Amino acid sequence: MKPGAESVAGQRRQPEISGEQSFQLVEYYSVTSLVIILLFALVIAWTVSRRNTEMVIAKQGQFAQLLAENLNHQVMNRFVVTALREYGGVNVGQPEQFKLLDAVVRNTIPLATDDTQTFRVLKVNILDLDGNIIYSTQPEYIGRVGDESGAFRIASSGGSYNSLQPGVEMFTLGPGPKRTMRTLLPLRDQRRRTAELGPPRAVFELEMDVSEDFQQVWHGQLLVMAALMVMMVVLFVILRTIVMRGQRVMARQTEERAQLLEQLNQSERLASLGRMIAGVAHEIRNPLGIIRSTAELLGSRADSASKPLAGVIVEESNRLNQIVTEFLDFARPQRPNLTPVFLDEVLGRNLLVLEPEIKRLGIVVQRDFKAQPLIVVGDADLLYRAFLNIFNNAVQAMEQGGELRVSTFVEAHDGVDWGVVSVDDSGPGIDPEARAKILEPFFTTKEKGTGLGLSIVNSIVASHGGKLSIESSPLGGARIKVRLALAQQ
């Protein structure tokens, strides 16, 4: 089919939105949400790590206190009692008593001499109430003045004190340096048979290696961070997918609004143009009718030399009248009188009218009608005019002959069954650029034509609630499909 090609009216302008002006929601959300998710993951990991650190400190403090209480019991019952009975008093400075105390301490609390030790106790000191170290598992410390700070005063007053060396910073990466837990507790007299303990006699100072516990805390922190990151990444991907889908919906809605606005503007322009055309066409028809009737009268009275000239005037008057009719059809589209219509009968009338022209051009017509006639809801006269335009275009596209195929069938589209008429020709086909504008009013490539044919066809089909589509045909030319509602539905 050979459509028309030069636009007389203004062309539709698509809205242009530059990339810099468009709001890239996905990119903005990606950066912002990723930063927020990372911050949340770090805060949660840090909170869990601090909580685990506090639990380690509390657990080791309780463990150290149990060790000290057990040591207190063993010292009072195995050393003090023995020293009083065999030596008549307690004097750690005597080698025999020091050896006895050292054996009691080492048997009660095995020192961490290697990695296989369970308690991981590095050092045990015993300080008198003046703060002097009177016993130590490391002999070089004996005789030194111990810690006289608030920690010693708390222990010498009957309390307990725990401290971590070095302390834990607010933000710590890795297990950190070697850490020790220093615990000070009072050594009390337990020889009494009452439940009440005696006053502090000395102060125990225990130093324990807790690096392995912090190593486990760090491993737990890594697991928590890994789990959080995986969870956050999954959440991020889900949210990003939702936002991208939302952006596509927004973009589609924006495009639809732009198209609707353009259609509204186009409709307003066409309405104004239609009103003008209707007025002009009405004024043209009256003198045109007089010119035609006068030319026919002159032709009937003219001699053989002048009669062809009168025939030319009549022929051109008829062509101009057809153009005016097309203008009026475009300016004042008729409302269809919907009734059940047999499509085969309408198509048969069209082909019968065009049969002389079809034979003159040597066009072969193939009818592929559905066995059971299609009955659609429509206006028979308007559908006749619409298909006549379609057939005219197909015939005019095959000036050197060709094949015209007319098919009718039922097709499911958008979940609804439609009665379909497909018109294929073996003409030159439709240029891709022209296909986008083929239904616009006044668009034509013909030397003689208004460009309103397919626009009027589209208007008639739309008034029936149908759809018009233009495709490439297997015959090499164009295929026009008209979908109309079936009468059964």
Side-chain angles (χ1 to χ4, degrees):
M1 183 177 295
K2 185 177 180 180
E6 284 181 12
S7 178
V8 179
Q11 301 299 318
R12 179 189 305 173
R13 292 187 299 174
Q14 299 293 338
E16 297 181 359
I17 301 176
S18 66
E20 296 179 354
Q21 295 176 346
S22 62
F23 179 65
Q24 299 296 335
L25 179 60
V26 173
E27 286 74 12
Y28 172 80
Y29 173 80
S30 299
V31 176
T32 305
S33 61
L34 183 59
V35 171
I36 294 175
I37 287 174
L38 288 177
L39 289 177
F40 268 105
L42 290 175
V43 169
I44 294 175
W46 176 81
T47 303
V48 173
S49 176
R50 296 294 297 182
R51 177 61 178 166
N52 290 340
T53 300
E54 293 173 358
M55 291 176 63
V56 168
I57 295 174
K59 182 190 74 173
Q60 292 298 332
Q62 294 173 358
F63 180 65
Q65 186 168 354
L66 290 174
L67 287 179
E69 291 176 355
N70 185 39
L71 183 60
N72 184 99
H73 177 75
Q74 296 297 329
V75 168
M76 293 302 299
N77 288 277
R78 295 175 57 189
F79 169 70
V80 174
V81 171
T82 302
L84 291 175
R85 183 178 64 247
E86 295 184 3
Y87 302 105
V90 178
N91 185 0
V92 182
Q94 294 180 2
E96 294 81 2
Q97 294 192 28
F98 179 86
K99 186 177 180 180
L100 177 61
L101 177 60
D102 186 62
V104 172
V105 170
R106 292 182 182 273
N107 289 332
T108 304
I109 306 178
L111 298 181
T113 56
D114 54 57
D115 294 337
T116 61
Q117 294 294 336
T118 304
F119 295 136
R120 300 192 301 276
V121 177
L122 300 176
K123 182 176 61 177
V124 177
N125 294 336
I126 298 178
L127 295 78
D128 61 19
L129 295 181
D130 294 327
N132 301 313
I133 299 177
I134 60 175
Y135 168 80
S136 177
T137 54
Q138 300 179 7
E140 64 271 18
Y141 284 91
I142 298 175
R144 297 184 184 181
V145 177
D147 188 358
E148 296 182 356
S149 63
F152 175 77
R153 289 194 295 272
I154 292 173
S156 61
S157 300
S160 61
Y161 177 82
N162 296 317
S163 66
L164 185 67
Q165 299 296 332
V168 180
E169 296 80 9
M170 180 173 293
F171 298 100
T172 303
L173 293 177
K178 181 179 180 180
R179 287 188 168 86
T180 58
M181 174 72 73
R182 179 170 173 262
T183 303
L184 283 84
L185 296 103
L187 189 155
R188 295 176 179 271
D189 187 0
Q190 290 185 335
R191 290 177 297 165
R192 301 182 181 184
R193 296 184 179 278
T194 61
E196 181 182 358
L197 296 175
R201 301 298 184 181
V203 173
F204 283 118
E205 180 182 9
L206 279 71
E207 187 173 312
M208 302 174 60
D209 183 5
V210 294
S211 301
E212 184 176 341
D213 296 283
F214 279 90
Q215 185 79 24
Q216 295 176 359
V217 170
W218 169 243
H219 290 163
Q221 185 176 354
L222 288 179
L223 290 176
V224 170
M225 291 183 64
L228 285 174
M229 291 305 298
V230 171
M231 183 175 63
M232 293 299 181
V233 167
V234 172
L235 179 62
F236 172 75
V237 171
I238 294 174
L239 294 179
R240 180 181 172 87
T241 302
I242 294 173
V243 172
M244 290 181 66
R245 183 176 300 175
Q247 188 188 37
R248 288 195 294 268
V249 172
M250 292 170 59
R252 186 167 63 250
Q253 291 177 347
T254 301
E255 182 180 357
E256 290 175 355
R257 284 196 295 268
Q259 291 177 354
L260 289 174
L261 181 61
E262 181 64 24
Q263 291 175 5
L264 178 61
N265 294 335
Q266 181 77 356
S267 299
E268 291 177 352
R269 291 193 296 269
L270 293 178
S272 300
L273 183 61
R275 288 191 292 270
M276 181 190 70
I277 289 174
V280 172
H282 180 72
E283 296 297 328
I284 290 176
R285 262 194 164 174
N286 290 332
L288 183 62
I290 296 174
I291 292 173
R292 177 182 175 181
S293 61
T294 303
E296 290 176 347
L297 180 61
L298 290 176
S300 63
R301 298 179 180 180
D303 54 20
S304 58
S306 301
K307 193 169 185 176
L309 297 178
V312 170
I313 295 175
V314 173
E315 181 180 351
E316 292 302 316
S317 297
N318 289 333
R319 191 174 69 84
L320 183 57
N321 183 68
Q322 181 63 31
I323 293 174
V324 171
T325 301
E326 288 186 359
F327 281 164
L328 288 175
D329 288 341
F330 170 73
R332 295 176 179 176
Q334 299 181 22
R335 290 182 178 273
N337 181 22
L338 300 179
T339 58
V341 176
F342 285 85
L343 275 181
D344 296 8
E345 294 182 2
V346 174
L347 298 175
R349 286 168 54 199
N350 290 134
L351 294 174
L352 182 62
V353 169
L354 294 173
E355 187 174 354
E357 184 69 8
I358 290 174
K359 288 182 178 180
R360 185 182 69 82
L361 296 175
I363 297 174
V364 177
V365 178
Q366 292 187 6
R367 304 190 186 195
D368 185 12
F369 291 172
K370 195 173 182 298
Q372 183 178 358
L374 284 183
I375 305 176
V376 299
V377 177
D379 187 312
D381 292 335
L382 291 179
L383 290 178
Y384 171 82
R385 290 166 57 186
F387 286 114
L388 187 60
N389 267 303
I390 294 175
F391 288 135
N392 269 325
N393 284 341
V395 170
Q396 292 171 10
M398 296 182 288
E399 296 177 352
Q400 306 301 322
E403 181 180 347
L404 177 65
R405 181 183 300 167
V406 185
S407 308
T408 63
F409 51 91
V410 175
E411 181 180 68
H413 187 75
D414 294 336
V416 178
D417 289 337
W418 297 81
V420 182
V421 177
S422 176
V423 179
D424 294 74
D425 65 69
S426 59
I430 301 176
D431 184 80
E433 294 183 2
R435 188 180 300 177
K437 305 176 182 179
I438 195 68
L439 297 180
E440 293 183 5
F442 305 105
F443 181 83
T444 179
T445 54
K446 300 176 183 178
E447 295 181 359
K448 295 182 180 181
T450 61
L452 293 175
L454 285 179
S455 178
I456 293 173
V457 171
N458 188 47
S459 177
I460 292 174
V461 173
S463 68
H464 283 71
K467 297 180 181 180
L468 176 71
S469 62
I470 302 175
E471 308 168 0
S472 296
S473 171
L475 301 180
R479 167 182 287 175
I480 293 185
K481 292 174 67 176
V482 177
R483 296 185 180 92
L484 296 169
L486 292 172
Q488 296 91 323
Q489 300 185 95

